[in-house]
Amino acid sequence: MPSIEEILAVERIDDDIYRGGVFPSGLRRTFGGQVAGQALISATKTVDPNFAVHSLHGYFLRPGKTDRPAVFLVDRIRDGRSFITRRVTGVQDGEAIFSMSASFHIVGDEGIEHQDRMPSAVTPEELPDDAHTMSEAQRSLFAEWENFDVRIVPRDQLVPVPGLAAQQRVWFRYRDRLPDDQLLHVCTLAYMSDMTLLGSSKTPHPEARTQTASLDHAMWFLRPFRTDDWLLYDQTSPSAGAGRALTQGRIFDRSGAMVAAVTQEGLTRSNVPADQVSIMKGGQ
């Protein structure tokens, strides 16, 4: 499988126009994290390095074709003294498949500070490498992420928070060492953040047969981090209904620092043909 650096290495084809690569895939549609990561790296190429991305808001408009490149068109919406805004449209065959707004904040601003406490969780070393415990069908799905070590905390080892409808915790990291480039780690986390989050909505319904797809994705980057070190993805799904589920995630590093927050709504449609049912291992 390609490295994350290869996936994020978009090609400049004209002013504010970039093209992503095509990579082998067993999925019916392009993985949403890949589209989001390539869109974000395209936006950063139009921004002064004294500004760092702090948020993104994206909509998955059409399924991406895995055998064709996506072209990313960047609009320079605003260049201010403290904030910069970019809009990116991902296009295949003349049709928009993804739309994203990204905001960048001047590096060095100061203000009040606080954060939630990291929830209790077994350490990643106490969990098996899921790559060795999957069924053949699940292994085929997760082969898309073989460069990532993803370990879902089993239900019998989860310390639940009372009153929450659906909960899941996942440790994940990139398996190989990455360069000391925070921008690369930010775009890598944008890719990783789509992994397993929608699966948190399935935890109260383990036997449900559903068709799933990401509909929109919002993310806030709060503190520096490394994606080649373990990160805890604390996931909840506060509501599901009408064929959609709302999911939320808080991402912590091993020291307990909250480094990012994610909100996503996804399709969770029931009564679908068997060949459209999503395969999940505790989450997807």
Side-chain angles (χ1 to χ4, degrees):
M1 297 301 295
S3 69
I4 191 64
E5 294 159 289
E6 291 172 319
I7 291 172
L8 296 176
V10 296
E11 172 192 6
R12 180 184 178 275
I13 58 177
D14 207 336
D15 290 346
D16 299 345
I17 303 176
Y18 299 86
R19 179 167 52 208
V22 178
F23 306 100
S25 176
L27 300 179
R28 291 191 297 268
R29 57 182 179 267
T30 306
F31 173 55
Q34 175 179 314
V35 178
Q38 290 179 342
L40 182 58
I41 198 71
S42 298
T44 64
K45 292 183 178 296
T46 70
V47 174
D48 187 292
N50 291 318
F51 289 76
V53 60
H54 73 92
S55 68
L56 65 84
H57 300 257
Y59 286 89
F60 297 95
L61 305 175
R62 292 180 176 88
K65 300 178 178 68
T66 59
D67 61 347
R68 300 186 186 184
V71 173
F72 298 94
L73 313 177
V74 182
D75 291 331
R76 303 183 183 226
I77 302 300
R78 179 175 183 266
D79 287 88
R81 288 179 296 179
S82 297
F83 290 91
I84 289 175
T85 305
R86 295 290 184 263
R87 182 171 59 225
V88 186
T89 305
V91 177
Q92 280 185 333
D93 297 333
E95 293 186 323
I97 64 169
F98 182 69
S99 176
M100 183 187 77
S101 295
S103 182
F104 298 78
H105 187 199
I106 189 74
V107 174
D109 256 2
E110 297 181 355
I112 61 172
E113 291 192 21
H114 63 258
Q115 67 156 75
D116 287 348
R117 182 182 300 174
M118 179 177 175
S120 299
V122 296
T123 65
E125 291 81 8
E126 296 176 79
L127 301 173
D129 187 336
D130 279 348
H132 305 300
T133 61
M134 297 177 185
S135 68
E136 182 176 350
Q138 292 163 343
R139 191 175 297 113
S140 175
L141 175 67
F142 277 74
E144 302 289 323
W145 305 333
E146 67 179 14
N147 291 331
F148 298 86
D149 195 343
V150 181
R151 306 190 184 191
I152 299 170
V153 177
R155 302 301 300 167
D156 59 0
Q157 297 184 54
L158 184 73
V159 180
V161 177
L164 299 185
Q167 305 174 58
Q168 179 170 262
R169 293 191 188 113
V170 180
W171 286 102
F172 61 2
R173 66 174 176 178
Y174 193 72
R175 292 186 183 273
D176 297 326
R177 192 69 175 173
L178 294 173
D180 298 332
D181 178 359
Q182 186 60 201
L183 174 58
L184 173 62
H185 290 276
V186 164
C187 293
T188 299
L189 189 60
Y191 179 101
M192 296 168 67
S193 64
D194 195 35
M195 297 177 179
T196 75
L197 181 56
L198 188 52
S200 65
S201 67
K202 288 290 295 290
T203 57
H205 318 280
E207 304 303 323
R209 296 166 57 88
T210 59
Q211 178 190 17
T212 62
S214 303
L215 297 176
D216 64 0
H217 196 84
M219 194 167 186
W220 295 264
F221 303 96
L222 308 174
R223 293 172 179 83
F225 56 88
R226 295 191 65 93
T227 48
D228 51 9
D229 287 339
W230 285 111
L231 298 170
L232 179 66
Y233 205 169
D234 178 44
Q235 305 168 344
T236 61
S237 177
S239 178
R244 304 187 312 276
L246 179 66
T247 58
Q248 300 172 336
R250 302 177 302 168
I251 301 176
F252 298 84
D253 67 17
R254 294 209 59 168
S255 74
M258 185 176 174
V259 301
V262 188
T263 299
Q264 182 182 86
E265 188 177 42
L267 183 70
T268 50
R269 181 182 290 145
S270 58
N271 300 320
V272 295
D275 62 351
Q276 296 182 30
V277 172
S278 298
I279 302 168
M280 295 189 178
K281 183 180 186 298
Q284 180 184 325

